[in-house]
Amino acid sequence: MNPEFRRNLWLEFTPHRLVSMPLVLAGIFYLAFLLDQSQFGLLDARAAETIAAILCVVWGASLAADAVISEVRGGTWENQRMSALTPWQLAWGKLFGGTIFAWYGTAICLLVYFLSIGTAAVAAAKIVAILVMAGILSQGASLLSVLYALRKDRGLPRMRAGLYALAGLFFIYPLIPMAATKPFTLHWYGMEWTNIDFALFSLAIFAGWTLVGVFRAMRAELQLRSTFWIWAAFVVWLMVYAAGFADFLFWGRAESRINIACFVGFALFYLMVFIESKDPVHFSRLLLAVRSRNGAALQTLLPNWSTALLLTAVAIALLFVTEPHDKQISGSLFFLSALFFALRDLCIILALNFGKRRNRADVAAIVYLAVLYGLLPRIVAELSSEYSLAFFYPRPVADGDAILAMVAALAEAAFAFWLMRRRWRENYAVAQLQPEKE
């Protein structure tokens, strides 16, 4: 048995806990039995379903985050990182061992739900599977957020610890209400789905991706490198998944699917550029890999945000091919302008992180971007016209204005790149690292 999982079993399954959980749940279900006119039926099923969701989704996410946070605060995390445990052993030992008590209570609740719901066994089994997949997704996302936070701050301040559990709830928020509402049908790539089936399909797929993400993050935490191909596959999958909703929103046109894929790519780019560590030493190694044409090292050193941005650029290129040329407002020019603005924002963020004081660089970047996208455009718009807003952020305008806005965005990106390059040369260009061998 996995040593980490076995250790968590001994820590979590004390005799008191093994007895108290079923006793408390039995009391709740007995009360529901009495309130339902002494019938073991719908009220018990609803109570079991609600408690199972709280245990595995909400509490389980908190326990998954605490599985690593408690080790960091206790000073034992570094010892575990240097132990003989493999990344997979440590990953699922933390993910399922640290949350095993929540799963213990969830199993009891799901059994009560299955026995009391009174509907077809297949329908009940689908709800059970949805709750299980939602629990895995929320707990995995919570643990993943902690592992990413560790790369930026090894201390994990107490005031932020409770926020990591919310990451898991954020990922499942759109899917759980879909399964909880009344039955309806939706279309995805021309296929007709019931809301229950589609929620189960989505949760299962994303739960699997979350497990892969936890494993890769644990590899990075143990100083083992991974190539960017798995992350690229996830970005492509998320683009394809989201583009399927064009059947519902835009009647399934090809350019509409690519529009959605571009939005997803930009969202992933901004998410990763803020949550990933921007260590100058890492960028030094990346530059050396580029200069020495070390393809193997380059595959392991590319930041995730660069992959997301590159795939977004590919999607924009596809949009140029598929979009009708007689459109009054070009979506391809809009997204190309957005790409240049994203490059400008990237250079600003990196320039701040390449300074001597990097502790609050990302916070400062958020403030500057808020000024560039919010305050400054409104001031200029009040002094001139609404058309000037296209020079501050991408807007769907006519082709002529779009080209001008695109040129302005490119000029801003070039200036931001100059600032970033200057900051890098001032603080880090002197450091020399030896090229890595193939």
Side-chain angles (χ1 to χ4, degrees):
M1 182 185 290
N2 184 335
E4 178 62 20
F5 183 74
R6 183 172 63 243
R7 185 180 75 91
N8 280 297
L9 284 181
W10 283 104
L11 291 174
E12 298 293 326
F13 276 164
T14 63
H16 173 260
R17 284 185 151 201
L18 286 172
V19 174
S20 62
M21 176 65 81
L23 286 180
V24 172
L25 292 177
I28 295 173
F29 297 140
Y30 183 64
L31 176 61
F33 173 80
L34 295 177
L35 293 175
D36 200 18
Q37 299 178 353
S38 299
Q39 294 181 356
F40 185 62
L42 186 60
L43 192 57
D44 278 290
R46 294 299 175 225
E49 184 182 22
T50 303
I51 296 171
I54 293 172
L55 288 176
C56 70
V57 176
V58 181
W59 191 36
S62 178
L63 291 176
D66 194 59
V68 172
I69 292 174
S70 60
E71 300 283 0
V72 174
R73 290 179 180 158
T76 57
W77 179 241
E78 298 301 324
N79 294 333
Q80 286 197 327
R81 292 177 64 226
M82 293 184 291
S83 67
L85 291 173
T86 65
W88 180 242
Q89 287 177 322
L90 200 55
W92 79 265
K94 292 291 184 189
L95 182 58
F96 296 108
T99 61
I100 191 65
F101 188 58
W103 283 113
Y104 174 54
T106 300
I108 297 173
C109 292
L110 293 181
L111 178 61
V112 172
Y113 172 83
F114 193 81
L115 295 176
S116 61
I117 187 59
T119 59
V122 174
K126 288 180 180 179
I127 298 298
V128 170
I130 284 175
L131 288 170
V132 171
M133 292 298 108
I136 294 174
L137 176 56
S138 66
Q139 294 169 24
S142 179
L143 179 57
L144 187 60
S145 65
V146 171
L147 293 174
Y148 266 102
L150 269 174
R151 299 188 198 178
K152 300 185 71 172
D153 186 354
R154 304 303 299 183
L156 288 177
R158 183 176 297 275
M159 67 181 66
R160 300 190 308 180
L163 298 178
Y164 301 122
L166 297 179
L169 303 180
F170 172 80
F171 279 97
I172 68 166
Y173 174 75
L175 297 173
I176 289 296
M178 181 186 296
T181 55
K182 294 181 180 180
F184 64 90
T185 59
L186 56 88
H187 293 85
W188 189 72
Y189 285 107
M191 296 178 287
E192 189 173 281
W193 297 72
T194 65
N195 57 319
I196 299 295
D197 290 340
F198 191 78
L200 178 56
F201 163 76
S202 301
L203 285 169
I205 294 294
F206 284 111
W209 276 117
T210 304
L211 294 178
V212 174
V214 169
F215 171 66
R216 284 170 55 85
M218 195 64 76
R219 279 181 58 87
E221 189 63 22
L222 299 185
Q223 303 299 314
L224 299 174
R225 294 182 179 178
S226 302
T227 63
F228 69 92
W229 294 109
I230 299 297
W231 165 251
F234 172 73
V235 175
V236 172
W237 156 251
L238 196 57
M239 286 179 169
V240 171
Y241 174 83
F245 292 103
D247 290 350
F248 175 72
L249 299 174
F250 305 105
W251 301 282
R253 295 193 301 265
E255 66 271 17
S256 300
R257 298 192 194 280
I258 302 176
N259 285 339
I260 296 176
C262 290
F263 279 116
V264 171
F266 281 121
L268 288 174
F269 162 73
Y270 279 101
L271 175 66
M272 298 310 298
V273 80
F274 277 109
I275 69 174
E276 277 193 313
S277 175
K278 291 165 282 291
D279 183 11
V281 175
H282 180 89
F283 283 96
S284 296
R285 291 172 178 158
L286 178 62
L287 289 174
L288 282 173
V290 173
R291 291 169 182 170
S292 60
R293 298 181 181 180
N294 189 340
L298 188 61
Q299 291 184 56
T300 63
L301 292 171
L302 277 178
N304 288 339
W305 50 259
S306 65
T307 306
L309 194 62
L310 179 61
L311 290 172
T312 305
V314 173
I316 295 172
L318 290 175
L319 187 59
F320 270 99
V321 176
T322 59
E323 186 180 47
H325 297 289
D326 57 350
K327 292 184 66 175
Q328 183 179 4
I329 297 177
S330 173
S332 54
L333 291 180
F334 166 79
F335 282 113
L336 187 59
S337 176
L339 181 65
F340 292 145
F341 278 113
L343 290 173
R344 179 203 67 178
D345 299 342
L346 172 65
C347 292
I348 292 174
I349 296 168
L350 292 181
L352 293 170
N353 277 273
F354 291 160
K356 294 181 180 179
R357 297 181 180 179
R358 303 175 48 245
N359 294 339
R360 300 182 182 274
D362 285 345
V363 176
I366 292 174
V367 174
Y368 288 141
L369 293 181
V371 172
L372 288 173
Y373 282 108
L375 180 61
L376 188 59
R378 296 314 309 173
I379 293 176
V380 174
E382 291 297 326
L383 296 176
S384 57
S385 66
E386 290 289 328
Y387 290 101
S388 61
L389 294 177
F391 295 93
F392 295 93
Y393 54 80
R395 297 183 76 230
V397 293
D399 285 357
D401 295 328
I403 293 175
L404 289 176
M406 188 173 59
V407 172
L410 183 59
E412 294 175 32
F415 179 69
F417 177 78
W418 176 79
L419 288 177
M420 178 197 69
R421 191 163 177 257
R422 180 181 177 183
R423 180 66 68 91
W424 173 265
R425 286 186 169 183
E426 288 176 352
N427 298 316
Y428 299 104
V430 178
Q432 297 292 328
L433 295 175
Q434 293 298 324
E436 299 184 25
K437 297 180 179 180
E438 293 279 358

